[in-house]
Amino acid sequence: DTLWDLAIAEVEKRESPDDDGKRLEVWEKSILFMGNKNGGKTTIILRCLEREEIPKPTLALEYTFGRRARRHNTPKDIAHFWELGGGTSLLELIRIPITSNNIRSFAVVLVLDLSKPNELWTTMEKLLQVTRNHVNKILTKLEKTNPEVATEIKQRMRNNLQRDHPDYELVDPFPIPLVIIGSKYDIFHEFDSEMRKIISKTLRFVSHYYGASLVFTSKSEALLLKARVLINHLAFGYDKSKSVSMDHGKPLFIPAGLDSLSQIGPPPASDSDIGKMCANTPLELWKKVFEKTFPPKSSCDLQDTKDPAQDLQYAEYEVDVMRAQKNQELEQYKRNASKSWKEMDFDSD
């Protein structure tokens, strides 16, 4: 058989009815993992795919995939896993994996390092803002070319909350499915109880406001399993977990739509402090309260300053020799240009 014959046979096999007379469609989803640098994204992906590999630092944007069969002798569903490295330093790469072709089957997993609360809000805000802007641009184009799909995507995110939920009109769902993972819970658990409460309440509010699921995890197998449950639901359509943990003294686990503003309570600050804060939205108010306790690091502190070209694990002799030569040529050009500028006689008039 030719390659073409094999491809036709595979398609016919996938589209042929199963024992119940129903056609089995291959489930194909995509997930983008992003968050703090060294926050544990790679570890979570490897555990979801049940791979016993030692995690390596993510250079820029990396890709892998997983396959699962729903039952014996059925086509395997496919999940595409993208991972954005560098914290918030490579935001422009977000537009590569999320396209108009896969937007209907795309989800985002935001991994926030609980052990670094001073980086938490800035990292979360930048990554979600850039992702949301990109998704909204795609949806705006779809409204012109395929309005049914655009409407379906928007309505699907609204469906995370029942219409009779008291917060239905108060939240602003993220345009595509979102899971927020608080990593390194083992370190976070050693924090002062009041600090833990502020961080936990803030992440509960943000998750509920965006219609996202929230889970705290660490290297503990039991906590990683809870994260896997949420991710496997996005990746392979596995059943949602119905368990909930809202106790701030324990690891949080709150699937989308199961929290409420009344259960979360007001921002953790005194009435007088809240009265002095100028905020246009509830999200802005929570940000001000959170950053009063955990002042954010400057943007430059969060940038990934390490030059990947100097990393020995990516050494490549021919490329490195050519790069060294080009660097020498560039330095020579700079010196010559500097001399020529100094020699120019500018007219003071």
Side-chain angles (χ1 to χ4, degrees):
D1 290 342
T2 65
L3 186 61
W4 187 247
D5 293 329
L6 293 171
I8 293 173
E10 179 66 19
V11 171
E12 289 176 346
K13 179 183 173 184
R14 293 183 181 188
E15 294 183 348
S16 62
D18 64 4
D19 296 337
D20 299 325
K22 297 177 182 177
R23 287 193 170 184
L24 289 173
E25 293 184 7
V26 174
W27 175 292
E28 193 165 347
K29 299 285 183 176
S30 299
I31 301 177
L32 172 63
F33 288 76
M34 56 188 186
N36 290 93
K37 187 186 175 196
N38 299 321
K41 300 182 292 296
T42 307
T43 300
I44 293 169
I45 292 173
L46 291 175
R47 294 304 299 124
C48 285
L49 297 176
E50 299 178 1
R51 293 181 186 168
E52 302 294 333
E53 300 175 22
I54 298 175
K56 295 179 181 178
T58 303
L59 179 60
L61 182 67
E62 296 193 2
Y63 168 82
T64 187
F65 69 94
R67 301 175 73 193
R68 296 276 194 283
R70 272 172 269 183
R71 57 180 191 264
H72 187 59
N73 284 337
T74 59
K76 287 187 177 181
D77 297 325
I78 303 168
H80 306 280
F81 289 82
W82 296 86
E83 182 186 355
L84 180 70
T88 59
S89 62
L90 300 168
L91 294 173
E92 68 277 5
L93 296 181
I94 286 173
R95 60 188 174 82
I96 294 175
I98 310 177
T99 68
S100 56
N101 293 327
N102 64 16
I103 190 72
R104 292 175 74 181
S105 58
F106 212 100
V108 169
V109 174
L110 175 65
V111 181
L112 299 173
D113 188 337
L114 296 174
S115 70
K116 299 176 180 176
N118 298 87
E119 296 179 14
L120 194 148
W121 192 285
T122 304
T123 299
M124 173 181 66
E125 185 176 57
K126 284 189 174 184
L127 289 169
L128 291 184
Q129 194 172 60
V130 171
T131 305
R132 185 167 210 155
N133 289 343
H134 176 62
V135 170
N136 284 339
K137 285 180 182 177
I138 292 175
L139 291 177
T140 299
K141 290 180 180 178
L142 280 176
E143 284 173 351
K144 299 175 182 177
T145 59
N146 199 335
E148 294 84 4
V149 170
T151 302
E152 175 200 323
I153 293 171
K154 291 179 180 179
Q155 188 56 47
R156 182 180 62 193
M157 292 314 300
R158 270 287 172 189
N159 290 341
N160 274 335
L161 274 189
Q162 300 296 324
R163 284 189 172 274
D164 58 356
H165 193 290
D167 305 334
Y168 188 80
E169 297 297 334
L170 302 175
V171 298
D172 184 19
F174 204 69
I176 54 179
L178 172 66
V179 170
I180 296 177
I181 296 179
S183 65
K184 302 188 181 178
Y185 179 80
D186 49 338
I187 301 175
F188 170 78
H189 188 59
E190 301 299 321
F191 284 9
D192 172 76
S193 60
E194 194 58 33
M195 290 173 63
R196 293 202 313 268
K197 185 178 179 181
I198 293 171
I199 295 169
S200 296
K201 285 190 69 170
T202 301
L203 287 179
R204 279 183 66 185
F205 172 80
V206 170
S207 299
H208 183 59
Y209 186 76
Y210 284 134
S213 297
L214 174 66
V215 59
F216 284 1
T217 190
S218 68
K219 292 181 180 178
S220 156
E221 196 62 35
L223 293 185
L224 279 171
L225 183 60
K226 289 195 170 187
R228 282 176 60 190
V229 167
L230 292 175
I231 295 168
N232 280 334
H233 170 69
L234 297 177
F236 301 107
Y238 289 9
D239 291 340
K240 285 184 179 180
S241 173
K242 295 181 180 178
S243 67
V244 178
S245 175
M246 299 182 180
D247 184 346
H248 295 149
K250 299 177 181 177
L252 297 181
F253 181 82
I254 311 172
L258 298 185
D259 212 341
S260 67
L261 295 177
S262 61
Q263 290 175 298
I264 296 168
S270 65
D271 292 342
S272 59
D273 283 344
I274 290 177
K276 296 173 186 175
M277 295 177 181
C278 297
N280 296 319
T281 65
L283 189 67
E284 195 175 322
L285 177 61
W286 277 83
K287 175 183 178 180
K288 289 181 180 294
V289 170
F290 184 82
E291 292 187 341
K292 189 173 187 296
T293 305
F294 303 106
K297 285 192 173 185
S298 63
S299 299
C300 59
D301 291 338
L302 299 178
Q303 295 295 313
D304 184 8
T305 54
K306 184 179 179 181
D307 183 359
Q310 306 302 320
D311 196 325
L312 293 178
Q313 70 172 315
Y314 303 111
E316 199 167 332
Y317 179 75
E318 291 83 359
V319 175
D320 293 340
V321 168
M322 182 60 69
R323 180 184 174 87
Q325 179 184 329
K326 292 298 179 183
N327 283 341
Q328 289 178 354
E329 292 175 1
L330 177 61
E331 289 305 316
Q332 184 63 43
Y333 172 79
K334 287 179 180 177
R335 287 193 291 271
N336 292 340
S338 177
K339 289 179 183 177
S340 61
W341 277 100
K342 288 176 182 176
E343 292 167 359
M344 285 185 180
D345 183 20
F346 290 100
D347 189 347
S348 58
D349 296 334

